[in-house]
Amino acid sequence: MIWFPSHEKKRVCSSSAVYAQYTNVGGGRRKLCTCCSALIRLHHLLRSTNILVCYRIMADAEEEAVGEQERQSEEAEEAQAEGTAAPTEKGPAKPAPSPAEPGPSPAEPALLPAESAPSPAAVAPDNRWVSALNQFKMKRFFVLRPGTLHQAMEDIQALVDKEIDGPVQSIWLMAEVDHWNNEKERIVVITDNSLLVCKYDFVMFNCEQIQRVSLNFIDRISHGTFIFPKNSLLTREGEGVRLFWDRQREPSFTSRWNPFTADYPFMTFTYHPVKNASDKYSALCEIQSFREHLKAAAEKAHSTKPVPGRANGVLLLSQPILIEAYVGLMSFIGNQNKLGYCMARGNIGF
């Protein structure tokens, strides 16, 4: 019911008048009756309900699209598995290999039929949880955050002395293993004249320490698995690379028992834990490629800047790498909790 501001009071209750009042069309002072006010409140309610329904429809459509994409990927995998399987009775027989295209040699393993390979549904569910757990652990490394490694490379390249070190040849992401079996995250830079081992803080984007080794002093590069003394309680899996630059000097007694010493005539590197995160990190953490680049750079430095009284050349060895640590309680706690890496440790405090 709408009251018009005229001397002759008329009672009008129509949909057009209610719409005009709701949309503020027309002038004058109008008052709505209880019936029309309820209609307007109902209109607001229906609008909000429609918005919620639209959001729900969009969410359902998105879920259906994701499900359809997963179904298509499964069908593609099944089709690929059927293509690698032996031809069926209805399919044409596979032609014999021509002399120009020899078949696989007897030493190569034959391809298994698709029936012998386990399907994705037949894989144990525990493997999926293990993969999800590994991905969660990987995400804790700050070096995997987008743009972090690129920023670290730019900061370190800015600190390279062009007159002493020369231009940068390659940059590597490694884990250094000290004489007490402690792992430490390092960025290793190979230049024309030097090997730079950098301790970089991926949280604050700051290079805290740089250790320089002249390439023309490196005389041996050893590659192999890790071993410990006979009575040691420690173990380490995997392989590593150790480079020597002073074969005539042996570590002193105080250096062997000092966990913070830095006067050892060699360095040991191994794979970074994020090696399998992606192809990019696999290339940056590859030990074999690092050894080859280091050997080539050291030999070039020996030829251009020979050291008087020293044999010019690099000896490449393939032998186990000895770590003279026996108990290693500190290294056990540190390596298990990855204390040598920049990682997200969670919330501390209350």
Side-chain angles (χ1 to χ4, degrees), residues 132-182:
L133 181 60
N134 292 336
Q135 292 179 1
F136 172 75
K137 291 181 178 179
M138 285 289 184
K139 291 181 179 179
R140 297 175 59 192
F141 289 92
F142 280 99
V143 70
L144 294 179
R145 304 294 170 91
T148 302
L149 184 60
H150 180 71
Q151 181 65 37
M153 290 181 178
E154 289 184 351
D155 294 343
I156 292 176
Q157 288 181 5
L159 297 176
V160 175
D161 193 341
K162 301 297 183 180
E163 297 181 358
I164 300 176
D165 305 318
V168 176
Q169 295 186 5
S170 58
I171 301 178
W172 307 85
L173 182 62
M174 295 288 170
E176 183 184 0
V177 183
D178 64 4
H179 60 293
W180 274 37
N181 196 35
N182 295 305

Side-chain angles (χ1 to χ4, degrees), residues 59-298:
D60 294 342
E62 186 177 358
E63 292 179 359
E64 291 179 0
V66 173
E68 182 68 19
Q69 186 177 2
E70 293 179 354
R71 185 179 62 82
Q72 291 179 1
S73 62
E74 291 178 359
E75 291 179 356
E77 292 178 358
E78 292 178 359
Q80 185 178 3
E82 291 176 359
T84 56
T88 58
E89 296 179 358
K90 296 182 181 180
K94 185 178 181 180
S98 60
E101 299 177 356
S105 60
E108 296 179 355
L111 294 176
L112 296 176
E115 298 178 356
S116 61
S119 61
V123 179
D126 295 340
N127 295 337
R128 293 182 298 176
W129 292 112
V130 172
S131 177
L133 181 60
N134 292 336
Q135 292 179 1
F136 172 75
K137 291 181 178 179
M138 285 289 184
K139 291 181 179 179
R140 297 175 59 192
F141 289 92
F142 280 99
V143 70
L144 294 179
R145 304 294 170 91
T148 302
L149 184 60
H150 180 71
Q151 181 65 37
M153 290 181 178
E154 289 184 351
D155 294 343
I156 292 176
Q157 288 181 5
L159 297 176
V160 175
D161 193 341
K162 301 297 183 180
E163 297 181 358
I164 300 176
D165 305 318
V168 176
Q169 295 186 5
S170 58
I171 301 178
W172 307 85
L173 182 62
M174 295 288 170
E176 183 184 0
V177 183
D178 64 4
H179 60 293
W180 274 37
N181 196 35
N182 295 305
E183 290 185 12
K184 303 173 183 178
E185 192 174 34
R186 294 291 183 265
I187 293 180
V188 183
V189 182
I190 299 178
T191 65
D192 286 350
N193 304 324
S194 306
L195 177 73
L196 305 178
V197 182
C198 308
K199 178 183 179 182
Y200 191 85
D201 186 358
F202 291 99
V203 181
M204 300 300 297
F205 295 101
N206 179 37
C207 185
E208 299 180 348
Q209 179 185 356
I210 296 179
Q211 186 173 357
R212 177 182 289 107
V213 178
S214 298
L215 291 178
N216 56 351
F217 277 84
I218 296 177
D219 49 25
R220 286 179 296 165
I221 300 176
S222 178
H223 171 263
T225 58
F226 294 98
I227 60 173
F228 292 86
K230 182 178 180 181
N231 298 325
S232 177
L233 303 177
L234 300 175
T235 58
R236 172 177 286 276
E237 299 179 356
E239 57 185 7
V241 171
R242 176 173 288 178
L243 52 101
F244 303 82
W245 57 83
D246 193 355
R247 67 178 63 187
Q248 298 179 356
R249 181 169 63 91
E250 292 292 333
S252 61
F253 177 81
T254 56
S255 298
R256 294 177 187 271
W257 291 97
N258 182 10
F260 306 105
T261 186
D263 61 347
Y264 263 70
F266 58 81
M267 283 185 178
T268 308
F269 299 100
T270 187
Y271 290 109
H272 196 283
V274 301
K275 177 178 68 73
N276 299 322
S278 64
D279 296 338
K280 171 186 175 181
Y281 289 94
S282 297
L284 289 174
C285 304
E286 182 57 42
I287 288 291
Q288 300 290 345
S289 301
F290 170 71
R291 181 183 62 171
E292 295 174 359
H293 281 76
L294 180 61
K295 181 177 182 296

